[in-house]
């Protein structure tokens, strides 16, 4: 069982990293989007391995099934021929590369510094089968305030989008 | 058998078996749903439909499948070959994957996930990539238009249909397909009756999601030729076709599970039969029904024009007799076996009834225009679904606080939703549509 | 569809301003091979999103030079050719041609022939409208009416077949009258059809007239106002739906129409729905004419005495009739020989198609099919 889990983890992890790299390097923007979808799905698979079914499903429904559909929708409106001919990496690539290196170093340091806290506690047996309820419980009792703040933020964004769309039509 | 299979693999044997059966049977089933569609269509349109291949066209699906497999496979010159190859696979894989959580009777289920419903919804919503990428990869305006319409339509109606489902989830308190059926058994009412508006919203939403008429805009024949499938032919085309019909079965399965009591026989509880309700004879109905079909086919067999058709009709009779025998035998088997077999029968019967409703609607109504469809989704169904969900929440509070019955507590909700529906419908009358269409 | 994929646009929702997305207009070719351009019509659409910014009808894919052929055939020999113009209303075509030549000869068909011609032409009008209704409904996505329509059309075609042996390109009439006497039971067949048809037409209306989707798809779509309709020379149901009460059967009666009572249905708005209502009512009126005519068919000869070889005096004539699709006119010039010097046809479909651009501008792609359907064109007649 353990080996199967490990094999699956390695599969998903490699798939996620590989597709992430491919997503950045593909010239064809639609192919890029497809690789982004693969990345998101592999991450979802890792969630599933961790027995976080709810997270898995939210990842699939929201990111892959919702947001990425809109991404692809917009991408198809874009002029593909022009983007194919454009230079993929411009002259400032070394600045970006340096920044990325710095960021990577920071991450590595952070992980190294907090290595003791990385070991997750074993999952409590009683909540694992009722994943959805556990998430709901946490959201609506313990993290009520942040949840509501996030809701209001989204509502404001939504109203803003509607107002902007209305103005443009008018 | 026990000693042949190591015990560590044992729990996987049955699900794998089911999966193999589903993958093997589903294309056949989809073929026969096409035949059913053509026969129903013919009946409604005062004609006979397929009659030549096999008796009453019973072998038509097989002939169609062979034809499709042998057809030339054409890839347009400027198509994105990789995507063109990949897209139908996505569609069909996702459609098949969704079956893994569908419970066809209490005994037939590949995996009883505790997020079963969400899993089905998530996976079947991924099928859209098959359509969108296929439409894009074809490098054709018709295909692209079809794909984009499809994406917009699916995203819109998924919201409405999902809200329709939430009303049931509130009542059932679970996402597992088995538990939802169990909840309907416990409460003694199918949720389709206690939240009729949830059912209605899901019905409309599911028609739009599966791209069926009157919402078949992505493949509207008279406008976009065949929409996203325009450039596809042969086997790839049949994969899309298979995915479409598989999705129909999926949405019918979801509706059956959530609103029509799943595999429950009308009037029955999940675990035990309530004595004295007076409709135990319904237990005998499946066997009698199939026996009737068998006898009818037997009567028809000698009337067939060709010898081979007589033989095939006779075989159909024998098949039905066999099924009738199994269904009858199950009555005397242990309760678990009986529920498994009869549950599957009732589930499939309800699924087909739901698909029949799809067909009926298809052959009756003209097609929506795209903006009208969007208006229906966003301005009618979604507000209605929101009101419905809030109402169901109120009803649950009423039930908990005042101990009202499960049906009584939902009556105010239904009435309130009906009121809102009428308000919205008045607001959205065709005349005003005409004005907006004209006034730009 | 060979345009390179340089520009794209499309946004489903009409409220989205596509220019914001940086998308340009695209050109979409509909036809000549397209399921709902009713034959080989090719429409070049300039699209702004799904909205039509402009359109151009390209015709001629079915051109057979009918008018030129006429110059090398005798008057009688040319008669079957006119059936091939509006091939779903061959009888009406034949009537127009025969009457035009009769006018040129200065003769008239005998009364019996004229009444039988009226009955057959009105049956043909019903058949043509039925075909229109079925295909129009099919374009808008209603799959079933077309089969009901064909069921009734079949009855009409059976009457034609019994009468003259042909169903589609009938060549039912001859210059000077009729070749065939009516068959035994012609009156009963016609009456039976007319009586049944009253219920059948109600059946179609239950499927469509008050259907929300149908009304939504047709009301306010492809509006053509009366002034534009007259300016473009539009005739037939399309003109009457715009509110102009003009019907040649009343305005310049021919055949036996002056003997019968019937109404000319008109509507005000001139949208697709109105044209639908007008044509439905016209079928009812045609049925009324048939019933009146079949009650009282005069006896007597069916052919005028015009001789075997037709040599009309030199001169010219224009004669037009109210075909199912509008004014069908024949302008014939004779040089005194057995062959016409020139035949010019004024086909209703061709003229009515001019109104397409006006109707389609600002509508959606889905409306384009509805509009092509509502004009009721037959490409055989448009291209000749």
């Amino acid at each position: 069982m353990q080996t199967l889990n490990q094999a699956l983890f390695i599969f998903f992890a490699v798939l996620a990293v590989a597709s992430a790299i491919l997503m950045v390097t593909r010239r064809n923007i639609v192919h890029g989007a497809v690789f982004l979808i693969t990345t998101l799905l592999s991450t979802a698979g890792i969630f599933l391995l961790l027995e976080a079914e709810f997270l898995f499903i939210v990842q699939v429904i929201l990111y892959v099934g919702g947001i990425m559909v809109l991404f692809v929708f917009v991408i198809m409106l874009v002029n593909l021929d022009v983007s194919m001919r454009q230079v993929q990496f411009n002259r400032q690539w070394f600045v970006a590369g340096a920044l990325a290196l710095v960021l990577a170093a920071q991450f590595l340091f952070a992980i190294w510094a907090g290595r003791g806290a990385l070991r997750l506690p074993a999952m409590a047996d009683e909540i694992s089968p009722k994943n959805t309820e556990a998430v709901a419980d946490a959201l609506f009792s313990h993290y009520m305030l942040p949840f509501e703040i996030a809701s209001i933020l989204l509502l404001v964004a939504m109203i803003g989008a509607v107002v902007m769309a209305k103005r443009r039509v008018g | 058998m026990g000693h042949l299979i190591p015990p560590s693999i044992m729990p996987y044997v049955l699900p794998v078996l089911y999966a193999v059966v589903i993958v093997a049977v589903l294309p056949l089933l989809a073929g026969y749903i096409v035949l059913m569609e053509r026969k129903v269509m013919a009946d409604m349109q005062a004609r006979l439909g397929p009659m030549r291949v096999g008796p009453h066209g019973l072998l038509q699906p097989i002939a169609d499948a062979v034809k499709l497999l042998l057809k030339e496979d054409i890839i347009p010159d400027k198509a994105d070959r990789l995507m063109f190859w990949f897209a139908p696979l996505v569609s069909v894989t996702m459609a098949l994957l969704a079956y893994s959580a569908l419970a066809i009777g209490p005994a037939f289920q590949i995996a009883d996930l505790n997020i079963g419903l969400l899993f089905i919804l998530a996976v079947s919503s991924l099928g859209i990539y098959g359509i969108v990428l296929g439409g894009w990869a074809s490098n054709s305006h018709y295909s692209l238009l079809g794909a984009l319409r499809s994406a917009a339509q699916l995203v819109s109606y998924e919201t409405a249909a999902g809200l329709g489902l939430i009303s049931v989830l509130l009542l059932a308190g679970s996402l597992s397909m088995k538990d939802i059926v169990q909840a309907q058994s416990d409460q003694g009412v199918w949720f389709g009756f206690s939240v009729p508006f949830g059912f209605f919203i899901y019905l409309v939403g599911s028609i739009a999601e599966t791209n069926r008429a009157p919402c078949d805009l992505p493949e509207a024949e008279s406008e976009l030729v065949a929409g996203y499938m325009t450039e596809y032919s042969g086997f790839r085309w049949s994969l899309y076709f298979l995915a479409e019909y598989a999705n129909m079965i999926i949405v019918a399965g979801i509706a059956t599970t959530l609103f029509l009591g799943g595999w429950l026989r009308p009037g029955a509880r999940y675990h035990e039969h309530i004595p004295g309700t007076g409709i135990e004879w319904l237990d005998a109905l499946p066997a009698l029904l199939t026996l009737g079909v068998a006898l009818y086919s037997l009567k028809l067999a000698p009337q067939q024009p060709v010898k081979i058709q007589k033989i095939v009709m006779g075989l159909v009779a024998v098949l039905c007799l066999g099924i009738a025998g199994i269904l009858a035998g199950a009555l005397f088997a242990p309760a678990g076996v009986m529920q498994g077999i009869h549950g599957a029968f009732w589930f499939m019967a309800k699924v087909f009834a739901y698909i029949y409703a799809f067909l009926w609607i298809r052959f009756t109504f003209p097609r929506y225009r795209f903006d009208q469809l969007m208006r229906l989704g966003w301005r009618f169904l979604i507000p209605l679904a929101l009101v419905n969900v809030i109402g169901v929440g109120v009803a649950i509070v009423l039930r908990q606080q005042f101990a009202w019955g499960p049906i009584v507590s939902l009556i105010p909700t239904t009435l309130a939703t009906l009121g809102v529906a009428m308000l919205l419908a008045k607001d959205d009358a065709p005349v005003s549509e005409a004005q907006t269409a004209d006034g730009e | 569809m060979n345009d390179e994929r340089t520009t794209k646009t499309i946004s489903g929702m009409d409220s989205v301003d596509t220019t914001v997305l940086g998308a340009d207009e695209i050109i979409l070719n509909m036809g000549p091979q397209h399921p709902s351009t009713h034959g080989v019509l090719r429409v070049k659409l300039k699209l702004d999103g799904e909205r039509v910014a402009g359109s151009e009808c390209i015709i001629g894919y079915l051109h057979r030079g009918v008018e030129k052929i006429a110059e090398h055939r005798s008057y009688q020999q040319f008669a079957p050719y006119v059936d091939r113009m509006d091939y779903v209303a061959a009888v009406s075509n034949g009537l127009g041609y025969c009457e035009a030549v009769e006018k040129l000869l200065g003769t008239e068909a005998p009364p019996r022939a004229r009444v039988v011609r009226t009955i057959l032409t009105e049956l043909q009008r019903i058949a043509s409208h039925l075909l229109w209704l079925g295909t129009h409904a099919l374009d808008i996505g209603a799959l079933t009416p077309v089969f009901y329509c064909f069921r009734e059309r079949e009855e009409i075609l059976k009457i034609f077949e019994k009468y003259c042996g042909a169903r589609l390109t009938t060549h039912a009439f001859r210059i000077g009258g009729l070749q065939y006497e009516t068959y035994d039971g012609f009156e009963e067949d016609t009456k039976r059809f007319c009586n049944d048809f009253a219920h059948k037409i109600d059946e179609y209306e239950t499927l469509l007239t008050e259907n929300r989707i149908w009304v939504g798809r047709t009301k306010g779509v492809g509006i053509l106002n009366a002034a534009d309709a007259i300016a473009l020379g539009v005739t037939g149901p399309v003109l009457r739906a715009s509110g102009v009460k003009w019907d040649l059967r009343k305005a310049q009666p021919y055949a036996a129409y002056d003997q019968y009572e019937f109404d000319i249905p008109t509507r005000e708005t001139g949208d697709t729905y109105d044209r639908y209502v007008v044509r439905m009512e016209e079928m009812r009126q045609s049925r009324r004419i048939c019933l009146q005519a079949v009650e009282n068919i005069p006896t007597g000869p069916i052919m005028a005495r015009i001789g075997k070889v037709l040599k009309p005096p030199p001169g010219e004539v224009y004669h037009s009739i109210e075909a199912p699709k509008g004014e069908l006119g024949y302008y014939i010039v004779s040089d005194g020989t057995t062959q016409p010097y020139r035949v010019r046809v004024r086909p209703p479909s061709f003229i009515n198609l001019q109104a397409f651009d006006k109707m389609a501008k600002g509508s959606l792609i889905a409306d384009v099919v509805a509009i092509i359907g509502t004009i009721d064109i037959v490409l055989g007649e448009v291209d000749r």
Side-chain angles (χ1 to χ4, degrees):
Chain A
M1 201 78 272
Q2 198 58 39
T3 46
L4 182 66
N5 267 353
Q6 232 149 37
L8 281 174
F9 172 78
I10 290 168
F11 171 74
F12 283 130
V14 168
L15 193 62
V17 172
S19 351
I21 292 169
L22 281 170
M23 183 208 101
V24 183
T25 51
R26 286 300 86 187
R27 281 196 155 230
N28 189 323
I29 189 166
V30 174
H31 291 181
V34 172
F35 284 118
L36 180 54
I37 292 165
T38 323
T39 314
L40 290 171
L41 280 178
S42 324
T43 324
I46 292 173
F47 285 143
L48 198 58
L49 283 179
L50 293 170
E51 297 187 26
E53 288 111 347
F54 190 73
L55 261 185
F56 156 76
I57 220 72
V58 166
Q59 171 97 352
V60 173
I61 288 187
L62 285 189
Y63 285 93
V64 186
I67 293 173
M68 282 313 292
V69 171
L70 292 178
F71 260 55
V72 173
F73 189 97
V74 173
I75 283 172
M76 286 187 181
L77 303 172
V78 168
N79 197 330
L80 197 65
D81 286 357
V82 172
S83 71
M84 289 285 273
R85 265 180 262 118
Q86 271 167 351
V87 185
Q88 197 168 10
F89 300 106
N90 64 21
R91 276 167 302 166
Q92 289 160 339
W93 67 271
F94 60 89
V95 182
L99 280 176
L101 276 180
V102 171
L103 195 66
Q106 279 178 347
F107 270 123
L108 284 176
F109 178 74
I111 291 169
W112 182 78
R115 61 193 183 283
L118 270 181
R119 198 150 301 148
L120 293 173
M123 200 179 332
D125 276 341
E126 61 271 26
I127 61 159
S128 63
K130 291 279 185 185
N131 213 287
T132 318
E133 283 178 20
V135 171
D137 250 11
L139 271 186
F140 288 105
S141 55
H142 201 73
Y143 299 105
M144 189 70 187
L145 189 65
F147 179 78
E148 287 299 327
I149 290 172
S151 311
I152 287 174
L153 206 64
L154 285 176
L155 186 68
V156 169
M158 199 164 76
I159 291 172
V162 171
V163 167
M164 280 164 75
K166 280 246 167 198
R167 188 176 303 152
R168 192 172 296 154
V169 170
Chain B
M1 192 166 144
H3 61 274
L4 284 177
I5 302 161
S8 62
I9 306 182
M10 202 57 204
Y12 299 104
V13 170
L14 222 50
V16 167
L17 200 68
Y18 290 156
V20 169
V21 168
I22 281 179
V23 171
V25 168
L26 199 78
L28 197 68
L29 196 62
Y32 275 90
I33 288 177
V34 175
L35 179 67
M36 170 180 156
E37 177 168 19
R38 292 176 65 180
K39 280 293 191 183
V40 169
M41 167 158 64
D43 186 43
M44 288 181 182
Q45 297 174 343
R47 55 198 181 88
L48 287 172
M51 290 294 279
R52 293 304 171 99
V53 189
H56 291 263
L58 277 174
L59 299 179
Q60 185 74 42
I62 294 161
D64 285 348
V66 171
K67 182 202 81 172
L68 285 171
L69 288 178
L70 296 180
K71 259 181 130 173
E72 186 189 352
D73 176 42
I74 299 165
I75 298 182
D77 204 25
K78 285 190 178 172
D80 187 321
R81 295 183 76 88
L82 185 70
M83 285 295 156
F84 196 81
W85 171 84
F86 181 62
L89 289 184
V90 174
S91 260
V92 85
T93 312
M94 293 309 165
L96 289 178
L97 199 57
Y99 282 85
S100 54
L102 203 63
I104 304 163
F108 300 102
Q109 188 178 28
I110 295 176
D112 183 20
L113 305 173
N114 61 36
I115 45 157
L117 179 64
L118 280 182
F119 179 80
I120 297 177
L121 290 180
V123 166
S124 54
S125 79
L126 294 188
I128 181 71
Y129 285 111
I131 291 174
V132 171
L133 294 176
W136 174 83
S138 304
N139 192 15
S140 146
H141 285 323
Y142 289 125
S143 302
L144 188 72
L145 277 169
L148 290 173
R149 278 182 173 190
S150 197
Q153 181 175 327
L154 197 104
V155 168
S156 316
Y157 275 83
E158 224 170 37
T159 321
L163 285 170
L165 294 180
I166 284 178
S167 58
V168 165
L169 297 184
L170 286 175
L171 292 176
S174 171
L175 287 166
S176 147
M177 300 302 258
K178 270 192 177 161
D179 292 351
I180 291 169
V181 176
Q182 173 70 63
Q184 299 182 61
S185 163
D186 292 343
Q187 299 184 14
V189 59
W190 296 354
F191 291 144
F193 294 105
S194 46
V195 276
F197 274 97
F199 187 32
F200 168 75
I201 290 160
Y202 185 72
L203 176 66
V204 179
S206 61
I207 290 173
E209 267 186 71
T210 46
N211 298 335
R212 301 289 299 177
C215 312
D216 57 342
L217 293 153
E219 46 194 283
E221 176 177 275
S222 53
E223 298 154 28
L224 298 180
V225 189
Y228 60 90
M229 299 198 284
T230 306
E231 306 293 337
Y232 279 87
S233 66
F235 189 57
R236 286 175 222 284
W237 183 85
S238 62
L239 284 182
Y240 271 130
F241 211 62
L242 174 63
E244 180 178 336
Y245 281 82
N247 276 327
M248 260 170 80
I249 302 174
I250 285 287
V251 293
I254 294 175
T256 303
T257 310
L258 266 72
F259 295 103
L260 299 176
W263 57 80
L264 298 174
R265 161 169 79 65
R269 299 269 168 135
Y270 180 45
H271 285 303
E272 79 284 3
H273 295 261
I274 322 157
T277 45
I279 44 175
E280 282 92 23
W281 58 268
L282 272 177
D283 271 341
L285 189 70
L288 289 177
L289 209 66
T290 35
L291 188 68
V293 175
L295 291 179
Y296 186 63
S297 336
L298 214 57
K299 181 175 157 273
L300 282 180
Q303 298 170 8
Q304 299 307 312
V306 191
K307 192 176 174 194
I308 188 107
Q309 297 205 341
K310 285 179 186 155
I311 295 170
V312 174
M313 205 68 190
L315 287 177
V316 170
V318 171
L319 183 72
C320 288
L321 266 181
I323 296 173
I326 293 172
L327 286 168
L331 287 175
F332 306 101
V337 176
M338 186 263 174
Q339 277 167 2
I341 291 171
H342 277 225
F345 174 86
W346 285 111
F347 186 85
M348 288 317 285
K350 288 170 186 174
V351 163
F352 276 102
Y354 194 82
I355 291 176
Y356 183 83
F358 264 39
L359 304 183
W360 193 359
I361 289 167
R362 175 173 178 202
F363 302 127
T364 308
F365 292 124
R367 182 182 299 118
Y368 271 111
R369 203 171 59 200
F370 196 78
D371 56 324
Q372 292 167 350
L373 189 74
M374 283 297 161
R375 193 170 295 136
L376 178 78
W378 287 101
R379 295 207 194 150
F380 182 75
L381 284 183
I382 290 180
L384 194 67
L386 284 172
V387 170
N388 192 40
V389 168
I390 294 169
V392 171
V394 172
I396 288 172
V397 172
L398 284 179
R399 190 156 78 199
Q400 284 168 354
Q401 297 295 315
F402 305 106
W404 289 12
I407 303 172
V408 180
S409 61
L410 281 161
I411 287 174
T413 303
T414 306
L415 290 178
T417 319
L418 184 67
V420 173
M422 280 158 76
L423 264 178
L424 287 169
K426 209 173 85 187
D427 198 40
D428 198 37
V431 182
S432 66
E433 279 172 27
Q435 281 160 356
T436 45
D438 181 39
E440 286 182 46
Chain C
M1 302 303 299
N2 294 328
D3 314 41
E4 54 191 86
R5 185 189 283 206
T6 44
T7 48
K8 22 221 74 88
T9 98
I10 325 318
S11 85
M13 282 150 288
D14 52 340
S15 54
V16 176
D17 187 355
T18 43
T19 53
V20 176
L21 294 171
D24 301 314
E25 288 175 338
I26 58 169
I27 302 287
L28 183 73
N29 255 320
M30 264 181 142
Q33 288 132 335
H34 186 280
S36 44
T37 53
H38 291 236
V40 286
L41 175 67
R42 174 173 162 214
V43 185
K44 255 168 106 174
L45 294 171
K46 204 156 52 149
L47 292 179
D48 177 14
E50 282 216 25
R51 207 159 272 281
V52 178
S55 65
E56 188 187 348
C57 292
I58 297 162
I59 59 171
Y61 291 92
L62 203 58
H63 179 64
R64 292 153 298 174
V66 170
E67 290 176 6
K68 190 70 187 167
I69 290 171
E71 294 165 20
H72 302 275
R73 297 285 182 278
S74 72
Y75 286 95
Q76 292 101 324
Q77 278 176 330
F78 181 59
Y81 284 93
V82 298
D83 285 358
R84 271 95 183 149
M85 289 192 305
D86 183 358
Y87 41 77
V88 300
V91 174
S92 310
N93 288 353
L95 179 72
Y97 177 70
C98 290
E99 288 201 335
V101 179
E102 283 160 17
K103 211 182 213 179
L104 193 61
L105 288 164
T107 172
E108 260 193 347
R112 180 174 172 79
R114 290 165 63 176
V115 172
V116 172
R117 279 176 172 186
T118 309
I119 296 171
L120 290 175
T121 314
E122 285 309 303
L123 285 176
Q124 181 73 81
R125 185 186 311 279
I126 296 178
S128 169
H129 280 2
L130 280 175
L131 191 76
W132 160 80
L133 176 64
T135 49
H136 185 43
L138 195 63
D139 289 342
I140 295 187
L143 300 175
T144 302
V146 66
F147 289 96
Y148 293 169
C149 291
F150 267 73
R151 184 181 63 192
E152 269 68 74
R153 183 169 172 267
E154 181 65 25
E155 296 303 313
I156 296 174
L157 295 189
K158 269 184 193 154
I159 294 176
F160 289 166
E161 191 178 6
K162 277 188 185 170
Y163 172 69
C164 63
R167 291 156 54 88
L168 197 67
T169 44
T170 48
H171 190 28
F173 309 141
R174 297 294 185 277
I175 296 160
L178 305 169
Q179 176 158 21
Y180 310 109
E181 202 24 284
T182 56
Y183 62 92
D184 292 340
F186 173 72
E187 289 88 349
E188 287 72 45
D189 277 359
T190 311
K191 263 188 223 166
R192 183 161 3 97
F193 169 77
C194 289
N195 289 329
D196 291 350
F197 188 61
H199 312 294
K200 299 288 164 69
I201 200 165
D202 291 340
E203 193 181 342
Y204 312 145
E205 294 226 33
T206 52
L207 270 174
L208 297 174
T209 305
E210 283 175 15
N211 185 317
R212 270 182 89 97
I213 306 178
W214 177 261
V215 173
R217 283 298 304 276
T218 53
K219 267 217 169 126
V221 171
I223 292 178
L224 185 70
N225 62 35
D228 284 339
I230 293 170
L232 287 163
V234 166
T235 49
V238 183
L239 177 69
R240 292 190 281 276
S242 299
V244 183
K245 201 164 185 164
W246 176 255
D247 189 321
L248 290 173
R249 289 175 295 175
K250 285 272 194 208
Q252 307 166 6
Y254 54 94
Y257 283 106
D258 47 357
Q259 301 168 23
Y260 308 118
E261 239 179 68
F262 60 96
D263 301 325
I264 306 170
T266 55
R267 296 277 288 184
E268 290 310 312
T269 330
D271 58 9
T272 304
Y273 185 76
D274 281 355
R275 289 186 277 274
Y276 158 76
V277 173
V278 163
R279 287 199 179 96
M280 294 306 268
E281 187 54 32
E282 272 186 18
M283 283 198 268
R284 290 207 168 89
Q285 296 299 332
S286 292
R287 175 186 160 268
R288 216 171 128 196
I289 296 171
C290 282
L291 277 176
Q292 288 175 50
V294 84
E295 277 303 323
N296 191 4
I297 304 180
T299 49
I302 53 166
M303 196 70 186
R305 304 184 67 81
I306 52 167
K308 296 258 183 240
V309 180
L310 295 185
K311 272 194 179 177
E316 54 184 56
V317 71
Y318 177 76
H319 181 71
S320 59
I321 64 158
E322 186 70 29
K325 293 167 181 67
E327 177 180 345
L328 172 67
Y330 288 90
Y331 174 67
I332 305 178
V333 181
S334 162
D335 55 1
T337 62
T338 55
Q339 295 175 341
Y341 178 74
R342 172 84 170 97
V343 172
R344 152 80 187 151
V345 185
R346 182 218 186 272
S349 300
F350 174 67
I351 312 273
N352 289 355
L353 191 59
Q354 314 294 314
F356 176 80
D357 184 48
K358 196 132 234 155
M359 291 182 187
K361 198 162 265 174
S363 59
L364 301 168
I365 299 186
D367 294 333
V368 169
V369 266
I371 291 167
I372 295 174
T374 190
I375 300 176
D376 191 15
I377 48 164
V378 165
L379 265 298
E381 191 181 54
V382 173
D383 295 343
R384 299 191 299 292

